Amino acid sequence: MALLHAYLWFRLVRSTTAPGRLRRLLTVLTVVLAVLPVAAVLSRGFLPIEAAAPLSWIGYSWLGVALYAVLALVILEPVRLLGNLRIRRGDGEVARQAVPSGPRRGPGWDDAAAPVDRGTAPGRGAVREDGDGQRGAAGEGGAAVDRRRFLARGLAVTAGAVALGTAGTGAWFANSAPVVRRVPITLRGLDPALDGLRIVTFSDGHLSATYGGRRFERVVELVNEQRPDVVAIVGDLVDGGVDELREDVAPLADLVSEQGVYFVTGNHEYFVDTQAWMRHLPTLGVDVLRNERVAIRRGGASFDLAGIDDRTAASSGLPGHGADLDAALDGRDESTPVVLLAHQPVQVAQAAAAGVDLQLSGHTHGGQLWPFDYAVRLDQPAVEGWSRHGDTQLYVTSGAGYWGPPMRIGARPEITVVELRAPGR
């Protein structure tokens, strides 16, 4: 955070202003803005959610603008470099033209006999010419500074406009209705009687000081409109305690599913009172799968739906919490297909080794803010969409909400309808 704002100060304040009162005021403003996102994160530890909401909105929104301002400024650095190089070359041309090509005195004058000139009175041309040359050089140097500052201001305005436009667009997308993606997936060994069964999945609601209310009600309504056979919520549902988010999470009770609503923990469930949520969600009709499985049936046909804890659960310090795929699959009929709910895509390595047919995950938000999805790839095998890992298929949903900046660039909020297909159908 300090480095990000130091760069912004250097390019938006120091490069665009002269030393003085304005620069001091803008420096103070930069420090305040740098503190806001940090304060938004820390405030959740001791402020009620209602009190933290304004600070969260301002701090996280500014963080999104700042990130894109830095990105725009970095992209514009070659323009700055070329512009300053041209200004420097122009200064060199002016300096060469200002240097006299030879003596300016009349022929035949004797240097030793020349009178000493101590002023700029008429007739004392030698000193006057030298003084004009010095003032000319100084004037040209000041003009160069002005041109560099003009260039810096133009680039600052451009970067600011790009950052605000991008952040505004991202805020609109993040708070708009999720897109519904229909993904047909063929499972080997799936009974034809189960062909067309719909698992409607979403993740990363991140109910918090900046997300919830009507927006989450809309998510529930969209899920119900898909007429799900199964609803799967693959983690990171909340960023707060039960007492704070009781009303925001209440719409889950309105979910309608033929064969149940299932949930697995994400890493953010371990940043709050995990046990309280594990007790509260079943009161809303949501079954929490913790290293266990259930049979999903249609007539005499079935497949296994398994769910495991997030990979960070073991380090949470909570007794009995930790991803345990072996326990979830223990004793099952291996001729029956199995669909695994696991919050993080990286858990697919273990799933592939265990012979899981399909894993449904979230966690990545689809990158949330382009181009930071490239950083996500350093930790996860997939950022969004369908992929295959050995004999195991993986689908990563982009999430319904957001975390941090209330924005989405290049990754729309999403509800996924996974339509299971039997081979040959």
PDB file of all heavy atoms in Angstrom, residues 9 50 82 90 109 143 164 178 198 223 225 228 297-298 335 354:
ATOM      1  N   TRP A   9       1.975   9.443  -5.568  1.00  0.00           N
ATOM      2  CA  TRP A   9       2.411  10.791  -5.137  1.00  0.00           C
ATOM      3  C   TRP A   9       3.474  11.328  -6.090  1.00  0.00           C
ATOM      4  O   TRP A   9       3.429  12.496  -6.500  1.00  0.00           O
ATOM      5  CB  TRP A   9       2.971  10.721  -3.716  1.00  0.00           C
ATOM      6  CG  TRP A   9       3.564  12.029  -3.280  1.00  0.00           C
ATOM      7  CD1 TRP A   9       2.906  13.101  -2.753  1.00  0.00           C
ATOM      8  CD2 TRP A   9       4.952  12.416  -3.376  1.00  0.00           C
ATOM      9  NE1 TRP A   9       3.787  14.132  -2.513  1.00  0.00           N
ATOM     10  CE2 TRP A   9       5.047  13.742  -2.889  1.00  0.00           C
ATOM     11  CE3 TRP A   9       6.094  11.770  -3.814  1.00  0.00           C
ATOM     12  CZ2 TRP A   9       6.261  14.415  -2.827  1.00  0.00           C
ATOM     13  CZ3 TRP A   9       7.306  12.453  -3.769  1.00  0.00           C
ATOM     14  CH2 TRP A   9       7.384  13.759  -3.273  1.00  0.00           C
ATOM     15  N   GLU A  50     -22.593  -1.702  10.640  1.00  0.00           N
ATOM     16  CA  GLU A  50     -23.237  -0.467  10.188  1.00  0.00           C
ATOM     17  C   GLU A  50     -22.272   0.706  10.235  1.00  0.00           C
ATOM     18  O   GLU A  50     -22.261   1.562   9.340  1.00  0.00           O
ATOM     19  CB  GLU A  50     -24.459  -0.149  11.054  1.00  0.00           C
ATOM     20  CG  GLU A  50     -25.570  -1.174  10.986  1.00  0.00           C
ATOM     21  CD  GLU A  50     -25.329  -2.351  11.924  1.00  0.00           C
ATOM     22  OE1 GLU A  50     -24.302  -2.336  12.644  1.00  0.00           O
ATOM     23  OE2 GLU A  50     -26.151  -3.287  11.923  1.00  0.00           O
ATOM     24  N   LEU A  82       9.550   9.332 -23.776  1.00  0.00           N
ATOM     25  CA  LEU A  82       9.780   9.909 -25.105  1.00  0.00           C
ATOM     26  C   LEU A  82       9.558  11.416 -25.097  1.00  0.00           C
ATOM     27  O   LEU A  82      10.298  12.174 -25.740  1.00  0.00           O
ATOM     28  CB  LEU A  82       8.854   9.240 -26.121  1.00  0.00           C
ATOM     29  CG  LEU A  82       9.155   7.764 -26.428  1.00  0.00           C
ATOM     30  CD1 LEU A  82       8.071   7.179 -27.320  1.00  0.00           C
ATOM     31  CD2 LEU A  82      10.523   7.621 -27.080  1.00  0.00           C
ATOM     32  N   GLY A  90      15.383  19.317 -27.418  1.00  0.00           N
ATOM     33  CA  GLY A  90      15.072  20.695 -27.782  1.00  0.00           C
ATOM     34  C   GLY A  90      15.889  21.686 -26.988  1.00  0.00           C
ATOM     35  O   GLY A  90      16.377  22.696 -27.517  1.00  0.00           O
ATOM     36  N   TRP A 109      40.924  45.505 -31.832  1.00  0.00           N
ATOM     37  CA  TRP A 109      40.914  45.873 -30.426  1.00  0.00           C
ATOM     38  C   TRP A 109      41.975  45.081 -29.684  1.00  0.00           C
ATOM     39  O   TRP A 109      42.169  43.899 -29.942  1.00  0.00           O
ATOM     40  CB  TRP A 109      39.554  45.597 -29.793  1.00  0.00           C
ATOM     41  CG  TRP A 109      38.554  46.686 -30.126  1.00  0.00           C
ATOM     42  CD1 TRP A 109      38.495  47.452 -31.236  1.00  0.00           C
ATOM     43  CD2 TRP A 109      37.465  47.084 -29.288  1.00  0.00           C
ATOM     44  NE1 TRP A 109      37.441  48.313 -31.192  1.00  0.00           N
ATOM     45  CE2 TRP A 109      36.773  48.105 -29.986  1.00  0.00           C
ATOM     46  CE3 TRP A 109      37.008  46.691 -28.035  1.00  0.00           C
ATOM     47  CZ2 TRP A 109      35.657  48.751 -29.456  1.00  0.00           C
ATOM     48  CZ3 TRP A 109      35.898  47.327 -27.524  1.00  0.00           C
ATOM     49  CH2 TRP A 109      35.219  48.350 -28.213  1.00  0.00           C
ATOM     50  N   ALA A 143      11.658  27.219 -19.049  1.00  0.00           N
ATOM     51  CA  ALA A 143      10.676  26.779 -20.048  1.00  0.00           C
ATOM     52  C   ALA A 143      10.662  25.266 -20.164  1.00  0.00           C
ATOM     53  O   ALA A 143       9.606  24.647 -20.333  1.00  0.00           O
ATOM     54  CB  ALA A 143      11.004  27.417 -21.404  1.00  0.00           C
ATOM     55  N   LEU A 164     -10.869   6.387 -13.268  1.00  0.00           N
ATOM     56  CA  LEU A 164     -12.247   6.643 -12.839  1.00  0.00           C
ATOM     57  C   LEU A 164     -13.243   5.957 -13.765  1.00  0.00           C
ATOM     58  O   LEU A 164     -14.249   5.387 -13.304  1.00  0.00           O
ATOM     59  CB  LEU A 164     -12.506   8.146 -12.793  1.00  0.00           C
ATOM     60  CG  LEU A 164     -11.799   8.907 -11.660  1.00  0.00           C
ATOM     61  CD1 LEU A 164     -11.983  10.411 -11.844  1.00  0.00           C
ATOM     62  CD2 LEU A 164     -12.330   8.467 -10.293  1.00  0.00           C
ATOM     63  N   PRO A 178     -26.214 -11.022 -11.639  1.00  0.00           N
ATOM     64  CA  PRO A 178     -25.275 -12.010 -12.166  1.00  0.00           C
ATOM     65  C   PRO A 178     -25.754 -12.574 -13.500  1.00  0.00           C
ATOM     66  O   PRO A 178     -26.955 -12.678 -13.751  1.00  0.00           O
ATOM     67  CB  PRO A 178     -25.259 -13.111 -11.090  1.00  0.00           C
ATOM     68  CG  PRO A 178     -25.764 -12.448  -9.846  1.00  0.00           C
ATOM     69  CD  PRO A 178     -26.734 -11.413 -10.304  1.00  0.00           C
ATOM     70  N   ARG A 198     -29.941 -30.750 -13.039  1.00  0.00           N
ATOM     71  CA  ARG A 198     -29.346 -29.419 -12.929  1.00  0.00           C
ATOM     72  C   ARG A 198     -28.798 -29.179 -11.517  1.00  0.00           C
ATOM     73  O   ARG A 198     -29.547 -29.227 -10.534  1.00  0.00           O
ATOM     74  CB  ARG A 198     -30.375 -28.345 -13.274  1.00  0.00           C
ATOM     75  CG  ARG A 198     -30.827 -28.355 -14.720  1.00  0.00           C
ATOM     76  CD  ARG A 198     -31.832 -27.242 -15.000  1.00  0.00           C
ATOM     77  NE  ARG A 198     -33.034 -27.393 -14.171  1.00  0.00           N
ATOM     78  CZ  ARG A 198     -34.061 -28.174 -14.471  1.00  0.00           C
ATOM     79  NH1 ARG A 198     -34.046 -28.910 -15.581  1.00  0.00           N
ATOM     80  NH2 ARG A 198     -35.114 -28.236 -13.684  1.00  0.00           N
ATOM     81  N   VAL A 223     -31.398 -18.007  -8.894  1.00  0.00           N
ATOM     82  CA  VAL A 223     -31.186 -19.442  -8.685  1.00  0.00           C
ATOM     83  C   VAL A 223     -32.513 -20.185  -8.800  1.00  0.00           C
ATOM     84  O   VAL A 223     -32.617 -21.213  -9.493  1.00  0.00           O
ATOM     85  CB  VAL A 223     -30.524 -19.698  -7.314  1.00  0.00           C
ATOM     86  CG1 VAL A 223     -30.524 -21.192  -6.987  1.00  0.00           C
ATOM     87  CG2 VAL A 223     -29.095 -19.161  -7.301  1.00  0.00           C
ATOM     88  N   GLU A 225     -35.156 -19.351 -10.380  1.00  0.00           N
ATOM     89  CA  GLU A 225     -35.681 -19.320 -11.746  1.00  0.00           C
ATOM     90  C   GLU A 225     -35.110 -20.438 -12.615  1.00  0.00           C
ATOM     91  O   GLU A 225     -35.700 -20.795 -13.638  1.00  0.00           O
ATOM     92  CB  GLU A 225     -35.373 -17.958 -12.389  1.00  0.00           C
ATOM     93  CG  GLU A 225     -36.210 -16.814 -11.840  1.00  0.00           C
ATOM     94  CD  GLU A 225     -35.772 -15.464 -12.386  1.00  0.00           C
ATOM     95  OE1 GLU A 225     -34.910 -15.456 -13.320  1.00  0.00           O
ATOM     96  OE2 GLU A 225     -36.264 -14.423 -11.902  1.00  0.00           O
ATOM     97  N   PRO A 228     -33.698 -25.569  -9.989  1.00  0.00           N
ATOM     98  CA  PRO A 228     -32.597 -26.494  -9.710  1.00  0.00           C
ATOM     99  C   PRO A 228     -33.063 -27.810  -9.113  1.00  0.00           C
ATOM    100  O   PRO A 228     -34.027 -27.866  -8.349  1.00  0.00           O
ATOM    101  CB  PRO A 228     -31.743 -25.714  -8.689  1.00  0.00           C
ATOM    102  CG  PRO A 228     -32.718 -24.793  -8.020  1.00  0.00           C
ATOM    103  CD  PRO A 228     -33.706 -24.410  -9.074  1.00  0.00           C
ATOM    104  N   ARG A 297     -30.605 -38.730  -5.972  1.00  0.00           N
ATOM    105  CA  ARG A 297     -31.332 -39.811  -6.645  1.00  0.00           C
ATOM    106  C   ARG A 297     -32.409 -39.271  -7.589  1.00  0.00           C
ATOM    107  O   ARG A 297     -32.982 -38.203  -7.371  1.00  0.00           O
ATOM    108  CB  ARG A 297     -31.995 -40.721  -5.608  1.00  0.00           C
ATOM    109  CG  ARG A 297     -31.018 -41.311  -4.607  1.00  0.00           C
ATOM    110  CD  ARG A 297     -31.724 -42.246  -3.629  1.00  0.00           C
ATOM    111  NE  ARG A 297     -30.818 -42.711  -2.587  1.00  0.00           N
ATOM    112  CZ  ARG A 297     -29.972 -43.722  -2.749  1.00  0.00           C
ATOM    113  NH1 ARG A 297     -29.927 -44.376  -3.898  1.00  0.00           N
ATOM    114  NH2 ARG A 297     -29.170 -44.098  -1.754  1.00  0.00           N
ATOM    115  N   ARG A 298     -32.652 -40.041  -8.609  1.00  0.00           N
ATOM    116  CA  ARG A 298     -33.804 -39.835  -9.489  1.00  0.00           C
ATOM    117  C   ARG A 298     -34.279 -41.229  -9.877  1.00  0.00           C
ATOM    118  O   ARG A 298     -33.605 -41.926 -10.620  1.00  0.00           O
ATOM    119  CB  ARG A 298     -33.427 -39.000 -10.714  1.00  0.00           C
ATOM    120  CG  ARG A 298     -34.602 -38.786 -11.662  1.00  0.00           C
ATOM    121  CD  ARG A 298     -34.179 -38.029 -12.904  1.00  0.00           C
ATOM    122  NE  ARG A 298     -34.018 -36.602 -12.645  1.00  0.00           N
ATOM    123  CZ  ARG A 298     -33.581 -35.732 -13.559  1.00  0.00           C
ATOM    124  NH1 ARG A 298     -33.215 -36.179 -14.769  1.00  0.00           N
ATOM    125  NH2 ARG A 298     -33.475 -34.451 -13.271  1.00  0.00           N
ATOM    126  N   SER A 335     -18.340 -47.382  -8.784  1.00  0.00           N
ATOM    127  CA  SER A 335     -18.997 -47.384 -10.099  1.00  0.00           C
ATOM    128  C   SER A 335     -20.003 -46.242 -10.221  1.00  0.00           C
ATOM    129  O   SER A 335     -20.521 -45.980 -11.306  1.00  0.00           O
ATOM    130  CB  SER A 335     -19.699 -48.725 -10.329  1.00  0.00           C
ATOM    131  OG  SER A 335     -20.779 -48.893  -9.412  1.00  0.00           O
ATOM    132  N   ALA A 354      -7.982 -39.096  -6.473  1.00  0.00           N
ATOM    133  CA  ALA A 354      -8.989 -39.946  -5.826  1.00  0.00           C
ATOM    134  C   ALA A 354     -10.049 -40.444  -6.797  1.00  0.00           C
ATOM    135  O   ALA A 354     -10.978 -41.142  -6.384  1.00  0.00           O
ATOM    136  CB  ALA A 354      -9.649 -39.180  -4.677  1.00  0.00           C
TER     137      ALA A 354
END
